[in-house]
Amino acid sequence: MEQLELKTVINACQMDELSPADQHLMSLAIDATQRSYAPYSHFHVGAAVRLDNGVEVIGCNQENAAYPSGLCAERTALFAAGAQYPDVGVSTLAIAARGTDGELLEEPCSPCGSCRQVIIESETRAKHPIRILLYGRRCIYVINGIRQLMPLLFSEF
């Protein structure tokens, strides 16, 4: 039997090491955490996407007493972008979260499995990888495409 080793590359940086455009996108994601509706989990997540045409769209998690009816921040942002700009790809996705104490998380928070699959589909739709920025007070992760988080992904792209 052959053993395969998969490698993930994630860059860690501080906010001031990001480009001004990425700093702005991350600040939109952080601000979006304040718009989150999370009365059950008290876990507030914000996301912001930059489209290939430079337009930025935000999203935040929206909970519901019927739990499957809620939606994550990443998907609200990606779906809103797709609805408003169906022929424009996403270039960058920024994500930030506040814990149950209301503070921004110390460590970056990565997308759930459902959001990862939606990011895969968004990359397939755009025909290119989407840069992912994950905010943490300690550092920000910069990930060049969902394949770094899902190396054995299900996709046509």
Side-chain angles (χ1 to χ4, degrees), residues 10-19 108 131 133-142:
I10 297 175
N11 295 303
C13 68
Q14 299 301 309
M15 183 72 100
D16 63 0
E17 295 177 277
L18 294 174
S19 70
R131 288 179 60 248
L133 309 174
L134 305 178
Y135 180 84
R137 289 190 324 244
R138 185 183 64 77
C139 69
I140 296 168
Y141 289 162
V142 179

Side-chain angles (χ1 to χ4, degrees), residues 28-80:
L28 290 176
I30 291 168
D31 290 347
T33 65
Q34 301 289 358
R35 300 176 186 196
S36 161
Y37 180 70
Y40 306 104
S41 71
H42 306 287
F43 191 75
H44 299 270
V45 183
V49 297
R50 181 182 309 110
L51 303 179
D52 291 339
N53 65 2
V55 170
E56 296 164 331
V57 178
I58 64 165
C60 55
N61 60 319
Q62 300 293 310
E63 293 182 351
N64 191 288
Y67 289 117
S69 299
L71 202 58
C72 299
E74 299 91 317
R75 285 183 276 162
T76 63
L78 289 167
F79 292 159

Side-chain angles (χ1 to χ4, degrees), residues 65-135:
Y67 289 117
S69 299
L71 202 58
C72 299
E74 299 91 317
R75 285 183 276 162
T76 63
L78 289 167
F79 292 159
Q84 296 173 54
Y85 303 93
D87 299 322
V88 182
V90 173
S91 66
T92 308
L93 166 64
I95 304 164
R98 294 180 187 277
T100 55
D101 62 0
E103 297 296 321
L104 288 166
L105 297 183
E106 182 74 16
E107 298 296 323
C109 179
S110 67
C112 73
S114 294
C115 288
R116 290 177 190 211
Q117 186 61 45
V118 169
I119 296 167
I120 291 167
E121 192 69 24
S122 296
E123 284 189 355
T124 301
R125 190 174 184 177
K127 297 180 178 60
H128 63 74
I130 295 171
R131 288 179 60 248
I132 303 166
L133 309 174
L134 305 178
Y135 180 84

